[in-house]
């Protein structure tokens, strides 16, 4: 009976250890993120200026690095406006305007810099970039830190927080020249490498469902 109890205990320990799983190594986290070809996520973006803090609820769609889409949601969860970026062309759709507004300078916007692909591009080209392990409450997170190649005093460097077991992004913080936190993006329901219909990245796309 004694040996059966010990054996059962060891089996339970092995099962629980297997369920917990092991943490990815820092280089594995970066490799996993580099392997993301497309993703969708919900997000809350907080933007701080000298006087106020603005909060945006949104959905992001990402495919490679040249196809991006952001849907800004109103307080009822309906699409209020949409930004589509495709191969260096950008269009802004608004529910009260029939034709899209074409933009040429989206690359330097707060929306563009909030995408995973842009963070990774900055990380790759920054010789001072590094990864550290940090604990928030009971949760361990990897923090990827890099400088931002922008002549913008509000975008000096960024920190991306990611899950230690699956490398799923949790939040992105962007700091200014004075080290103040100017932008914080909280990602929710982050889904990696699920098929995304290419037509949603068409800058002349007509069929936006403003009710969802």
């Amino acid at each position: 009976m004694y040996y059966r109890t010990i054996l059962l205990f060891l089996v339970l320990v092995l099962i629980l250890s297997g369920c917990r799983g092991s943490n990815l190594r820092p280089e594995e986290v970066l490799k996993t993120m580099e392997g993301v070809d497309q993703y969708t996520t919900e997000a809350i973006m907080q933007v701080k200026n000298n006087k106020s803090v603005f909060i945006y609820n949104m959905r992001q769609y990402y495919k490679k690095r040249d196809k991006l889409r952001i849907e800004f949601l109103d307080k009822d969860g309906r699409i209020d406006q949409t930004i589509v970026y495709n191969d260096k062309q950008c269009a802004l759709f608004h529910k009260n305007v029939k034709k899209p507004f074409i933009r040429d300078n989206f690359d330097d916007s707060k929306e563009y810099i909030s995408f995973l692909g842009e963070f990774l591009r900055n990380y790759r080209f920054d010789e001072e970039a590094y990864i550290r392990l940090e604990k928030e409450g009971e949760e361990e997170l990897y923090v990827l830190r890099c400088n931002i190649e922008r002549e913008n005093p509000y975008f000096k460097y960024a920190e991306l927080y990611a899950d230690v077991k699956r490398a799923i992004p949790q939040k992105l913080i962007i700091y200014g020249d004075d080290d103040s936190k100017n932008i914080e993006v909280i990602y929710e329901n982050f889904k990696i490498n699920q098929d995304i219909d290419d037509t949603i990245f068409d800058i002349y796309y007509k069929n936006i469902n403003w009710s969802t």
Side-chain angles (χ1 to χ4, degrees), residues 41-46 170-172 184-188:
T41 184
E42 299 167 6
I44 300 173
M45 175 187 283
Q46 297 187 37
Q170 303 291 313
K171 66 180 177 181
L172 173 69
E184 181 173 5
V185 184
I186 307 296
Y187 302 109
E188 298 178 350

Side-chain angles (χ1 to χ4, degrees), residues 92-94 97-101 206:
L92 172 63
F93 300 84
H94 195 280
V97 181
K98 291 183 179 180
K99 292 184 179 181
F101 173 71
K206 305 295 183 182

Side-chain angles (χ1 to χ4, degrees), residues 192-204:
I192 290 176
N193 290 337
Q194 294 192 352
D195 288 339
I196 302 175
D197 186 355
D198 268 353
T199 61
I200 72 167
F201 302 106
D202 186 348
I203 64 170
Y204 301 106

Side-chain angles (χ1 to χ4, degrees), residues 37-55:
D37 292 327
Q38 51 192 329
Y39 73 77
T40 64
T41 184
E42 299 167 6
I44 300 173
M45 175 187 283
Q46 297 187 37
V47 181
K48 181 182 178 182
N49 63 18
N50 293 331
K51 297 180 180 180
S52 305
V53 176
F54 300 91
I55 299 176

Side-chain angles (χ1 to χ4, degrees), residues 88-187:
K88 298 183 179 180
Q89 290 185 302
C90 177
L92 172 63
F93 300 84
H94 195 280
K95 64 181 180 181
N96 297 323
V97 181
K98 291 183 179 180
K99 292 184 179 181
F101 173 71
I102 306 301
R103 296 174 55 180
D104 298 323
N105 60 343
F106 183 64
D107 291 22
D108 199 34
S109 68
K110 63 183 182 298
E111 293 87 4
Y112 185 85
I113 209 167
S114 70
F115 276 88
L116 176 62
E118 179 61 9
F119 175 86
L120 292 175
R121 188 193 71 82
N122 285 306
Y123 192 94
R124 284 194 300 269
F125 288 102
D126 180 14
E127 295 181 354
E128 299 177 352
Y130 63 86
I131 303 177
R132 70 177 186 271
L133 186 63
E134 192 169 295
K135 196 167 185 179
E136 290 193 352
E138 297 300 317
E139 184 179 17
E140 285 188 324
L141 297 168
Y142 277 121
V143 183
L144 291 76
R145 196 264 196 205
C146 70
N147 295 311
I148 298 174
E149 292 184 341
R150 290 283 187 277
E151 294 181 2
N152 188 325
Y154 296 101
F155 304 156
K156 180 184 178 183
Y157 64 95
E159 292 183 335
L160 179 67
Y161 292 69
D163 172 76
V164 295
K165 292 182 172 30
R166 298 181 297 154
I168 300 296
Q170 303 291 313
K171 66 180 177 181
L172 173 69
I173 301 177
I174 298 171
Y175 299 85
D177 283 348
D178 59 354
D179 295 327
S180 61
K181 185 190 298 185
N182 290 329
I183 298 175
E184 181 173 5
V185 184
I186 307 296
Y187 302 109

